[in-house]
Amino acid sequence: MAVDLLLGLQWGDEGKGKIVDVLTSNYNIIARFQGGPNAGHTLVFNGKKHVLHTIPSGIFHDDATNLVGNGVVIDPVIFKKELDKLEEQDVDYRKSLVISRKAHIILPTHRLLDAASEASKGKAKIGSTLKGIGPTYMDKTGRNGIRVGDLELDNWKDIYRTLANKHESMISFYDVEIEYDLADLEKEFFEAVKVLKSLKFIDSEEYVYQAQKAGKTILAEGAQGSLLDIDFGTYPFVTSSNTTAAGACTGLGVAPNQIGEVFGIFKAYTTRVGSGPFPTELFDEDGETMGRVGNEFGATTGRSRRCGWLDLIALKYACQVNGVTQLMMMKGDVLSGFKTLKVCTAYKYKSEVINHFPYNIEPENVEPVYTEFNGWEEDLTGMSEASQLPKTLNEYIEFLEKELEIPITIVSVGPDRKQTIFRKR
Ligand code: IMP
């Protein structure tokens, strides 16, 4: 069986966790392939909210196996906290959670390095979640990292010490004050590693290959969004992994010709958390309304998200880079009550009108060109059938489908599993 992918098409926080949870009953295996605890995937069901950071969003379904793939970076301390929360809810994760031996470990000193690097950048900071993501991927590509499989070695603590010492000397190179007590951090870290080691470590590329051969269905769950991709995002204001479709191949060991459906998730408007260019960002009452009604606060850091109109140029680019086959539109309900809606359908780029996503979208180069739509008044949150959707919302959806040449198969009208409208297959 081919592996299906589910990816965020904007700057993250599109609602991937909810859709994975909705789709999980169709899949035997849910696999994370990149990122780490910088992600915050929110799931709501039975009136309760659950936030996952590293654990795949299929964990609440009894029959799904949840794989943390080789492309993921794991912080044992945060992972343990996630497990503790699952335990409180009687989720039997031991039988359904497997971890790639090739996934890399985030050390306490990676988090400190992240903090030192951001502090040293001053106003030019990335706005990182400070979870140690960048430094851990730097050690991975620099061939210095510690992998999950290394924890099975007798001398892994020696390898740890050498790397942590190196990190401490690197921290002292930054001309910033970072207060920390490494002994304290290490105590917590070593305790958490013990818990991690009690889980099942596997050679995940072989596992995925055999599962495919046995006809198992697999969904690869992306984290962050395409515009935060290390190659195709708004560099340097990006994360340190490939968040796009290709990342699923390298992050799980799946060959490109084994990819099936590519589900692209986007919000009916746009948000961004952290620094970096955002052409359709709003600084007015409309942006404030989107943030308030949409509850736009980071699930990992609690930071408020910047809000703006839908950017079709950026969305087209993301569909193109990922080969999206089906679209899912989230949070249409947040736009209820807006008299007029705007969609950015071109960029004025250095005084020329362009229709593609250029090298640089800094505000001094790019100005959005908008097309306007009539809004809708109806509250969508209680709707469950496509036939109930207001006419003007259908016009908005059909315009996007026509421009993107991809069907919008799901319209989400609220955070709960149940608030999901299937339009067409
Ligand atoms: P890092 O990956 O924590 O280093 O953060 C790099 C940039 O990506 C920052 O602007 C973060 O706010 C953003 N970012 C990282 N993870 C997420 C996410 O899951 N959702 C939204 N933004 C994210």
Side-chain angles (χ1 to χ4, degrees):
M1 292 288 287
V3 175
D4 292 343
L5 309 185
L6 183 137
L7 307 164
L9 301 179
Q10 294 160 318
W11 278 289
D13 309 313
E14 296 89 354
K16 296 173 289 290
K18 168 183 167 163
I19 296 296
V20 175
D21 177 56
V22 167
L23 297 180
T24 298
S25 43
N26 303 337
Y27 292 94
N28 301 121
I29 299 168
I30 308 296
R32 277 279 306 270
F33 60 86
Q34 48 71 229
N38 48 349
H41 291 176
T42 305
L43 291 70
V44 181
F45 54 87
N46 302 337
K48 241 186 131 176
K49 180 171 146 180
H50 309 264
V51 181
L52 296 167
H53 298 286
T54 320
I55 293 174
S57 301
I59 199 73
F60 296 102
H61 290 256
D62 287 341
D63 301 329
T65 298
N66 290 272
L67 164 65
V68 179
N70 58 280
V72 175
V73 289
I74 300 173
D75 183 332
V77 175
I78 296 177
F79 205 84
K80 179 180 176 299
K81 286 184 184 151
E82 283 190 72
L83 296 176
D84 290 345
K85 283 225 169 91
L86 291 176
E87 226 154 70
E88 280 166 25
Q89 291 155 54
D90 291 328
V91 176
D92 186 7
Y93 58 80
R94 285 193 184 277
K95 72 174 194 332
S96 62
L97 186 60
V98 291
I99 301 172
S100 171
R101 288 198 172 87
K102 291 193 172 119
H104 278 245
I105 300 286
I106 301 176
L107 310 188
T109 42
H110 281 131
R111 271 187 268 131
L112 298 172
L113 276 170
D114 216 357
S117 165
E118 281 285 79
S120 74
K121 284 187 168 136
K123 276 193 178 146
K125 69 177 184 185
I126 306 294
S128 164
T129 60
L130 302 179
K131 303 292 177 199
I133 306 295
T136 307
Y137 278 115
M138 276 166 68
D139 270 340
K140 175 178 178 174
T141 52
R143 296 158 295 180
N144 297 309
I146 296 182
R147 300 189 289 177
V148 165
D150 294 334
L151 303 177
E152 295 173 319
L153 301 173
D154 290 337
N155 67 338
W156 84 266
K157 281 197 180 167
D158 299 335
I159 303 172
Y160 166 85
R161 188 78 274 143
T162 307
L163 189 56
N165 286 348
K166 184 177 150 196
H167 289 161
E168 278 215 280
S169 51
M170 286 165 73
I171 291 164
S172 65
F173 273 114
Y174 287 102
D175 194 16
V176 292
E177 285 283 312
I178 299 284
E179 277 187 28
Y180 63 91
D181 180 340
L182 190 55
D184 254 14
L185 295 172
E186 285 183 343
K187 190 167 171 277
E188 192 186 31
F189 175 74
F190 290 129
E191 281 301 314
V193 167
K194 261 192 228 157
V195 175
L196 189 67
K197 284 175 76 172
S198 71
L199 299 175
K200 194 167 172 192
F201 297 167
I202 59 166
D203 296 336
S204 56
E205 59 278 28
E206 178 64 14
Y207 173 82
V208 169
Y209 177 70
Q210 293 300 344
Q212 278 189 271
K213 267 185 47 170
K216 299 249 196 264
T217 47
I218 305 173
L219 180 66
E221 172 184 13
Q224 291 82 49
S226 300
L227 303 177
L228 289 172
D229 183 277
I230 183 74
D231 284 283
F232 300 108
T234 46
Y235 192 91
F237 301 101
V238 292
T239 191
S240 298
S241 62
N242 281 116
T243 58
T244 46
C249 296
T250 56
L252 289 173
V254 173
N257 65 353
Q258 296 299 307
I259 301 296
E261 293 286 337
V262 181
F263 304 117
I265 317 281
F266 71 101
K267 273 182 198 166
Y269 49 100
T270 310
T271 62
R272 171 162 209 171
V273 61
S275 325
F278 179 0
T280 61
E281 182 169 9
L282 291 167
F283 300 95
D284 59 8
E285 214 175 288
D286 285 341
E288 190 276 320
T289 305
M290 286 173 192
R292 181 173 35 79
V293 180
N295 193 25
E296 296 295 357
F297 297 94
T300 298
T301 58
R303 290 180 292 179
S304 56
R305 299 177 185 140
R306 301 152 66 191
C307 297
W309 297 117
L310 186 63
D311 183 340
L312 199 57
I313 299 301
L315 194 54
K316 245 186 218 171
Y317 169 72
C319 289
Q320 193 179 311
V321 170
N322 290 309
V324 172
T325 60
Q326 292 186 43
L327 285 162
M328 292 160 184
M329 189 174 93
M330 314 301 287
K331 290 193 150 179
D333 53 294
V334 174
L335 295 185
S336 290
F338 279 87
K339 242 189 166 42
T340 305
L341 302 175
K342 292 184 184 178
V343 174
C344 167
T345 44
Y347 287 155
K348 214 182 254 172
Y349 181 72
K350 298 181 181 172
S351 74
E352 194 191 327
V353 174
I354 61 164
N355 292 296
H356 74 277
F357 197 79
Y359 172 71
N360 184 322
I361 60 158
E362 294 296 334
E364 59 271 26
N365 295 320
V366 162
E367 196 190 315
V369 178
Y370 288 112
T371 301
E372 295 196 354
F373 295 82
N374 291 325
W376 53 89
E377 283 296 328
E378 293 88 335
D379 174 8
L380 312 181
T381 56
M383 296 184 181
S384 53
E385 300 284 335
S387 59
Q388 294 172 291
L389 296 177
K391 182 168 167 284
T392 42
L393 170 56
N394 277 325
E395 283 165 6
Y396 189 77
I397 292 171
E398 282 158 20
F399 173 79
L400 300 179
E401 285 184 316
K402 189 163 152 273
E403 289 293 313
L404 298 166
E405 299 180 73
I406 303 167
I408 297 179
T409 53
I410 285 182
V411 177
S412 171
V413 291
D416 198 280
R417 258 184 204 167
K418 289 191 215 133
Q419 294 169 301
T420 308
I421 296 179
F422 293 88
R423 277 184 82 240
K424 51 189 163 188
R425 294 262 165 210

